[in-house]
Structures are given as structure tokens and as C-alpha cells.
């Protein structure tokens, strides 16, 4: 009788539970404002945002959704904002990757919350970085007025979107907009600052001020259709370029327009015929530990992600708490930087803790990243890091210098970078492993991810010490029970803020994914990045 690996079974059960929870939450988000709002949309002869995207992209093709959890558990006092009221992703139209942005009119009539603006800016950033055509399916009531102060005036607010429209136009990045519902006030600039604009008869309208505001401002009585409907804006004003009878025809016309777009010079990333890994991707479920503190062999994770499970290790026996290797993912040549979670022994006999970046591992990673830039190889970072090593020995060894070296190289890297947060991503370790602040082309998290300055227990202990000192200074001495209750409260609050859902709701990560989707995300990301030429790598000041 074969021996049962209880630890592997426990890991698998926990991961499958997390994935089931992920899918349950996604299914709810996919309903937008709910089934009644969807039915109301259909009664108007309109498709929903997700139905429009499904009809727009090639049948049977992949769609990489960005920010499905944006706004998750935010704005509850206003009724919530599923997916930030806008569906965004990379899809294939006529075998060509495009960024698609579709307002969800079932969520507050497609109104813009602060996170909606951030998500739209992220979509435009992806289009600009990768020189991808961007398609806007507009159906929005405009800014959510009760929160206008948080979305209107600042650098990364609503107005930045129109600046990006102009910047993309100057860069030659095609922009096509379809007015498929309301398009009012400042939002009216987005489709008209695009290269071409379509409008749907009967449902689409665009104007700087709606009938109520016109009446209030100048006393004129006018209905919506006369003011800015399809006939007015196509036949009289000439603001829009194509008048469409319905959603279906509009989407088919967009496909025809995309089919005629020319192509940019490719970056030249190397790709050969893909090979599947020798090991099943789902075996990751049993390998990845259910407890964040337990060690495991990260190389076994890699063998289930890379083509033919083949890896060429760089400085294999040096700086062992980071593994660097060349490989292929779906045929694409990649350089992989991953934290090693095993406890390792160095040649000098020193024991190093897994998941911690030491001076030698930081030095190795920095040199490997420079090599990948030299050879025009995209970089893939897989996070399970608790930070840089601390203590007297590390400080005397120059850990700050070596850590700064790695951060410097990651910051100046010009080849596209992709980050997968598998487990912990704490403190400066997040920075060195190309966290959100370091411009990864895509950054996604597994359901097991944790993003924070430090772990919940450590943070709670630090905060607890501060609280206890404050109590003592006031002459108060909490009992053991009260102290434990305070500790648990602090830890829970901190733990809640480290979850992948908290990160995804604020767009610190682009998506939460099933680990088996990791290959797809990386491959689609490199395919997108291959549309934009790579600048010359110059690391600047770097101590050797």
C-alpha cells in the first residue's frame, strides 16, 4: 500500500479551499450590480459589460482580466462597487492583443469611484508600456458626485485619463471608443480624444451637459436624444465617426477596425515551440505549504511552471536563499528570480533562513538581473520573502549596500518584469523582488499571498509594545487577559490588511489567480511586452 503524504494532502486541501473561495467571490463580482440590474440592461436592448467583451474578443480565445477585485469590500456605505464598476483586461481581437475597458452600467450606472479612476489609469498604463491598441466601451454616468473630491483634481485622478489619451495619440497607439450608453461631462472627452468613435442609436448619448444641467444653466428645454444622441453627434455635429444600429453591430465594426491596424517593431524576445512541463501544474497545490512559515523546495514549484521542467541555474551554490535560473515559459525565454524557502548551509558552515535575502543572495540576483538585461531576456520574479537579514553580522557584512544594489538594478531594469506573489512579500523584500512600486508589467498574487511591511505576529508585537508603554506612562497596567485581547485585536486588523484581497481591492496587484494560471499570465504578458522595443539598460551608480 503506497504511503500517504499527510503534509502534501493538507497543503492540497488548503489550496483547493482557497481557490474555491476565490472562484465564489469572483462569481459574485461577475454579476456586477446584480441580476435585476442586468435584466434592466437587457430590457433597454443593451448588453452588459462582460457580454460586450465576450462578443468583441475572438471566440474561444483567452481574456486576462485586470482588477476584478478592485474596490472589493470598499465603499460599503455607498452600496459597494464590484470590480470598480469597470471591466478591464487584455483580450484577442482578430488574433491581436488589445486592452479593453468596458464600463459596467449595472454598478451605479457606470459612475466613477476613486478606485474606478485608478483602474482606468492602470489599463492605459498597460496599453502605453506595451504599445497595445486600447478599446473603450463607454457606458457611464460620470463621476460619482458624493466622492468627487477624491477623484477629480489630483495628478492621478480623472483628468489624467484624458492626458493619457493625448499621450497615447502622440505615441501612435490606436484608441477606439464606442459610446454604448451615457457619456457625459468630462467623460465625453475620452471617446472624442480617441482616434475613432462609434455610437449606438437609441442608447448611446454624449454631451458636456445633460438636459437637466442645460435647463439649470441656460434655461433651455431639450431632450437627451436631440442634445447628444447618435443622429445628432454623427449627422449634425460630426463628433462621432460611425453610427451603429445596436451593440452587436457596433462590436463587429470594432473588430473590423482592429483588423486593419498596422504593427509596431517587435522587441525581439526569443520564443520557440512551447513544451508543457514534465510535471502537472496542479501538483503545486500539494507542494506549496498551508502554513507560511514552513519550508519547501521552490525549485519544485518551478518545475511545474517552465517548459519541459528544464532550468539552467546561475551561481547555483552561491547565495542560496535566492534561486536564479534561465528557462522557457510557453516557449518564451525568461530569467527567473525566486526566493528559496529552504534552510540552507553555506560553504563556510553558516546556516541561512529560507525566504530571507542575505548579502550573497542579493549580490547574485543583482548580477543575474543585469545579465538578463544585457541579453534582452524578460524577468519573472516569484515572491515568498520575509525581507532582508538583520542583526550585527549582517550589518557588519554590508547588507544595506548589497540590498541597495539589488533594488538599484531592479529599478533600472529595462526588460519587462513580471511578479508573482506566491506567499509572503514583506518589507524591503517586496521592493527587491519587484513589487508594485517597481513597475512590473503585470503583478499577480496566488490566494496564499501576503503583502505587508512585516508578518502579522511581528507587527502586532511591535504595536503591542508601543501600546503597553503608552498605558504604563499613564499609570495604567492592563491585566494579562486585557493585554491578550488587545494583542489579538491588533493582529486581526493587521492580518486583514495583508490578505491578497486587500491588496487586489486597491490594485496593488492586478489579479488573484489560481497557481495553474501562472504560465498563461506570464506568456500573455511577454507577448504584450514584445510589442514595445526595449530601451538600453544603464544601471547608474552601482557598488560592486
Amino acid at each position: 500500500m503506497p504511503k500517504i503524504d499527510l503534509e502534501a494532502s493538507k497543503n492540497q486541501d488548503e489550496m483547493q479551499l482557497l481557490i474555491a473561495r476565490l472562484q465564489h467571490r469572483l462569481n459574485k463580482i461577475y454579476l456586477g450590480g446584480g441580476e435585476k440590474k442586468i435584466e434592466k440592461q437587457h430590457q433597454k436592448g443593451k448588453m452588459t459589460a462582460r457580454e460586450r467583451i465576450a462578443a468583441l474578443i475572438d471566440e474561444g480565445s483567452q481574456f486576462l482580466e485586470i482588477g476584478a477585485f478592485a474596490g472589493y469590500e470598499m465603499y460599503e456605505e455607498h452600496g459597494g462597487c464590484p470590480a470598480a464598476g469597470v471591466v478591464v483586461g487584455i483580450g484577442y481581437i482578430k488574433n491581436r492583443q488589445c486592452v479593453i475597458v468596458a464600463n459596467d452600467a449595472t454598478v451605479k450606472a457606470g459612475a466613477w469611484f476613486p478606485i474606478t479612476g485608478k483602474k482606468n489609469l492602470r489599463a492605459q498604463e498597460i496599453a502605453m508600456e506595451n504599445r497595445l491598441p486600447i478599446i473603450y466601451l463607454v457606458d457611464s454616468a460620470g463621476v460619482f458626485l458624493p466622492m468627487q473630491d477624491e477623484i477629480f483634481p489630483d495628478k492621478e485622478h480623472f483628468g489624467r485619463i484624458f492626458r493619457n489619451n493625448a499621450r497615447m495619440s502622440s505615441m501612435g497607439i490606436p484608441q477606439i471608443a464606442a459610446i454604448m450608453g451615457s457619456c457625459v461631462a468630462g467623460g465625453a472627452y475620452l471617446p472624442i480624444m480617441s482616434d475613432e468613435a462609434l455610437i449606438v442609436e437609441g442608447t448611446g448619448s454624449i454631451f458636456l451637459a445633460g438636459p437637466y444641467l442645460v435647463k439649470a444653466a441656460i434655461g433651455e428645454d431639450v431632450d437627451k436624444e436631440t442634445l447628444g444622441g447618435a443622429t445628432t453627434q454623427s449627422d449634425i455635429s460630426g463628433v462621432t465617426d460611425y453610427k451603429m444600429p445596436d451593440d452587436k453591430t457596433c462590436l463587429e465594426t470594432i473588430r473590423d477596425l482592429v483588423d486593419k491596424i498596422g504593427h509596431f517593431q517587435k522587441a525581439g524576445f526569443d520564443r520557440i515551440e512551447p513544451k508543457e512541463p514534465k510535471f502537472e501544474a496542479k501538483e503545486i497545490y500539494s507542494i506549496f505549504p498551508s502554513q507560511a512559515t514552513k519550508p519547501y523546495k521552490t525549485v519544485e514549484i518551478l518545475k511545474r511552471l517552465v517548459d519541459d521542467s528544464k532550468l539552467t541555474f546561475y551561481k547555483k551554490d552561491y547565495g542560496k536563499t535566492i534561486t536564479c535560473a534561465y528557462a522557457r515559459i510557453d516557449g518564451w525565454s525568461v530569467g527567473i528570480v525566486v526566493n528559496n524557502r529552504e534552510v540552507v548551509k553555506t560553504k563556510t558552515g553558516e546556516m541561512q533562513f529560507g525566504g530571507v535575502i542575505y548579502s550573497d543572495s542579493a549580490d547574485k540576483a543583482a548580477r543575474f538581473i543585469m545579465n538578463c538585461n544585457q541579453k534582452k531576456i524578460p524577468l519573472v520574479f516569484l515572491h515568498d520573502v520575509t525581507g532582508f537579514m538583520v542583526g550585527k553580522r549582517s550589518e557588519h557584512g554590508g547588507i544595506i549596500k548589497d540590498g541597495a544594489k539589488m533594488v538599484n538594478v531592479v529599478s533600472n531594469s529595462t526588460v519587462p518584469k513580471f511578479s508573482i506573489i506566491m506567499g509572503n512579500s514583506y518589507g524591503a523584500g517586496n521592493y527587491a523582488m519587484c513589487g508594485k512600486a517597481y513597475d512590473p508589467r503585470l503583478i499577480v498574487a496566488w490566494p496564499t499571498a501576503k503583502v505587508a511591511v512585516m508578518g502579522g505576529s511581528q507587527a502586532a508585537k511591535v504595536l503591542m509594545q508601543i501600546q503597553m508603554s503608552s498605558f504604563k506612562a499613564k499609570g495604567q497596567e492592563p491585566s494579562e487577559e486585557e493585554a491578550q485581547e488587545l494583542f489579538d485585536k491588533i493582529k486581526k486588523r493587521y492580518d486583514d490588511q495583508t490578505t491578497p484581497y486587500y491588496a487586489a481591492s486597491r490594485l496593488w496587484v492586478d489579479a488573484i489567480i489560481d497557481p495553474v494560471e501562472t504560465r498563461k499570465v506570464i506568456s500573455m504578458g511577454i507577448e504584450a511586452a514584445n510589442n514595445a522595443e526595449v530601451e538600453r539598460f544603464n544601471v547608474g551608480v552601482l557598488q560592486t
Side-chain angles (χ1 to χ4, degrees):
M1 184 175 177
K3 185 180 178 181
I4 298 174
D5 188 332
L6 294 178
E7 193 65 36
S9 296
K10 182 180 177 182
N11 292 342
Q12 181 167 333
D13 289 347
E14 180 64 22
M15 183 67 85
Q16 288 178 326
L17 178 64
L18 291 173
I19 291 167
R21 186 178 300 154
L22 168 66
Q23 193 57 55
H24 174 74
R25 291 173 176 177
L26 281 172
N27 290 340
K28 188 174 180 180
I29 286 169
Y30 292 160
L31 291 174
E35 292 179 352
K36 289 183 179 179
K37 293 286 182 67
I38 290 172
E39 181 56 34
K40 192 174 180 181
Q41 189 95 334
H42 289 162
Q43 288 172 0
K44 294 178 181 178
K46 296 163 66 175
M47 296 179 178
T48 65
R50 294 184 182 278
E51 289 168 345
R52 286 166 176 167
I53 290 174
L56 181 61
I57 62 176
D58 298 341
E59 188 175 353
S61 67
Q62 295 177 325
F63 179 69
L64 178 57
E65 184 163 355
I66 304 295
F69 281 99
Y72 180 71
E73 293 187 339
M74 295 170 67
Y75 315 120
E76 296 295 339
E77 69 277 20
H78 298 295
C81 185
V86 60
V87 184
V88 167
I90 301 173
Y92 293 88
I93 302 174
K94 294 289 184 176
N95 295 317
R96 179 177 189 139
Q97 282 186 327
C98 297
V99 175
I100 303 169
V101 180
N103 298 116
D104 187 349
T106 70
V107 179
K108 291 285 189 296
W112 291 57
F113 286 74
I115 196 65
T116 315
K118 187 173 183 179
K119 187 171 176 179
N120 275 262
L121 289 171
R122 177 62 179 140
Q124 291 182 319
E125 181 181 45
I126 291 170
M128 288 189 285
E129 285 182 332
N130 301 293
R131 298 182 75 87
L132 294 180
I134 184 166
I135 315 298
Y136 306 100
L137 306 180
V138 185
D139 194 346
S140 171
V143 168
F144 185 64
L145 291 177
M147 303 188 75
Q148 65 85 28
D149 60 319
E150 296 182 45
I151 187 173
F152 172 67
D154 211 345
K155 182 178 178 180
E156 299 300 330
H157 284 178
F158 195 62
R160 189 77 172 188
I161 292 164
F162 314 130
R163 176 193 181 272
N164 286 348
N165 285 140
R167 292 286 299 123
M168 280 190 280
S169 182
S170 72
M171 294 167 68
I173 297 170
Q175 300 175 82
I176 299 171
I179 302 157
M180 309 183 81
S182 294
C183 186
V184 63
Y189 286 107
L190 183 145
I192 308 311
M193 291 187 74
S194 299
D195 299 306
E196 294 179 288
L198 305 86
I199 187 168
V200 178
E201 291 184 276
T203 55
S205 60
I206 178 169
F207 30 64
L208 291 181
Y212 294 118
L213 184 54
V214 168
K215 175 67 174 176
I218 63 173
E220 182 179 61
D221 286 307
V222 61
D223 64 85
K224 187 169 75 171
E225 197 65 28
T226 303
L227 185 64
T231 299
T232 295
Q233 301 293 26
S234 294
D235 300 354
I236 299 173
S237 71
V239 165
T240 55
D241 306 302
Y242 305 92
K243 183 169 64 174
M244 300 284 106
D246 50 41
D247 280 11
K248 183 174 181 293
T249 308
C250 182
L251 297 168
E252 288 173 351
T253 304
I254 293 173
R255 287 178 54 80
D256 288 340
L257 293 173
V258 171
D259 190 41
K260 311 302 187 296
I261 297 172
H263 293 269
F264 292 114
Q265 182 76 31
K266 299 293 184 184
F269 303 130
D270 188 64
R271 192 183 197 188
I272 62 173
E273 187 69 26
K275 291 182 180 179
E276 288 296 314
K278 288 182 178 178
F279 304 94
E280 283 286 330
K282 283 194 174 182
E283 291 177 7
I284 292 172
Y285 297 173
S286 58
I287 296 169
F288 197 85
S290 57
Q291 294 181 17
T293 55
K294 288 201 171 182
Y296 63 98
K297 294 182 179 180
T298 48
V299 70
E300 294 300 321
I301 300 287
L302 299 183
K303 286 179 181 178
R304 283 140 183 92
L305 296 178
V306 305
D307 290 16
D308 203 31
S309 301
K310 185 178 180 182
L311 296 145
T312 303
F313 295 100
Y314 174 80
K315 293 184 183 287
K316 185 177 182 180
D317 295 320
Y318 176 74
K320 290 183 178 181
T321 62
I322 284 184
T323 297
C324 299
Y326 298 107
R328 290 189 182 273
I329 292 179
D330 199 30
W332 294 105
S333 170
V334 296
I336 296 173
V337 181
V338 58
N339 306 110
N340 181 15
R341 283 305 305 264
E342 290 185 285
V343 177
V344 298
K345 190 174 183 179
T346 68
K347 296 291 184 183
T348 61
E350 178 194 1
M351 300 302 294
Q352 294 186 344
F353 299 101
V356 179
I357 302 175
Y358 289 76
S359 285
D360 54 358
S361 48
D363 176 76
K364 177 174 81 171
R367 294 179 188 280
F368 179 72
I369 293 165
M370 287 191 287
N371 284 347
C372 288
N373 275 272
Q374 185 74 8
K375 296 189 281 189
K376 202 187 283 189
I377 299 174
L379 285 157
V380 176
F381 295 83
L382 292 110
H383 299 215
D384 199 348
V385 59
T386 52
F388 284 88
M389 190 58 188
V390 297
K392 184 176 71 174
R393 182 168 183 163
S394 291
E395 296 295 354
H396 288 186
I399 186 66
I400 295 174
K401 170 174 65 78
D402 290 314
K405 181 192 304 181
M406 186 175 174
V407 171
N408 187 330
V409 173
V410 171
S411 302
N412 286 293
S413 178
T414 57
V415 294
K417 306 181 292 279
F418 302 90
S419 286
I420 316 296
I421 303 178
M422 303 185 299
N424 302 319
S425 188
Y426 292 156
N430 170 276
Y431 299 161
M433 291 295 292
C434 194
K436 178 68 172 177
Y438 292 80
D439 292 330
R441 296 295 178 94
L442 292 172
I443 178 168
V444 299
W446 289 359
T448 45
K450 293 182 182 298
V451 182
V453 171
M454 63 182 75
S457 293
Q458 298 95 315
K461 287 175 184 176
V462 172
L463 293 170
M464 181 70 175
Q465 289 171 12
I466 295 170
Q467 288 271 47
M468 293 300 285
S469 296
S470 177
F471 284 137
K472 288 177 181 177
K474 296 175 183 176
Q476 300 171 353
E477 189 72 43
S479 66
E480 284 188 19
E481 292 79 10
E482 289 172 331
Q484 184 62 47
E485 185 180 339
L486 179 60
F487 175 84
D488 292 341
K489 183 179 179 181
I490 293 171
K491 185 177 181 300
K492 183 183 184 305
R493 185 178 74 243
Y494 197 90
D495 284 343
D496 289 344
Q497 293 175 356
T498 67
T499 68
Y501 295 100
Y502 192 90
S505 69
R506 288 152 180 81
L507 286 171
W508 300 346
V509 296
D510 292 316
I512 305 172
I513 65 167
D514 183 331
V516 301
E517 295 181 336
T518 304
R519 274 173 61 88
K520 179 191 87 170
V521 170
I522 295 169
S523 179
M524 286 187 69
I526 298 175
E527 182 183 349
N530 201 36
N531 291 289
E533 293 184 80
V534 174
E535 296 177 7
R536 187 176 71 85
F537 175 65
N538 184 356
V539 75
V541 177
L542 182 66
Q543 293 175 299
T544 57

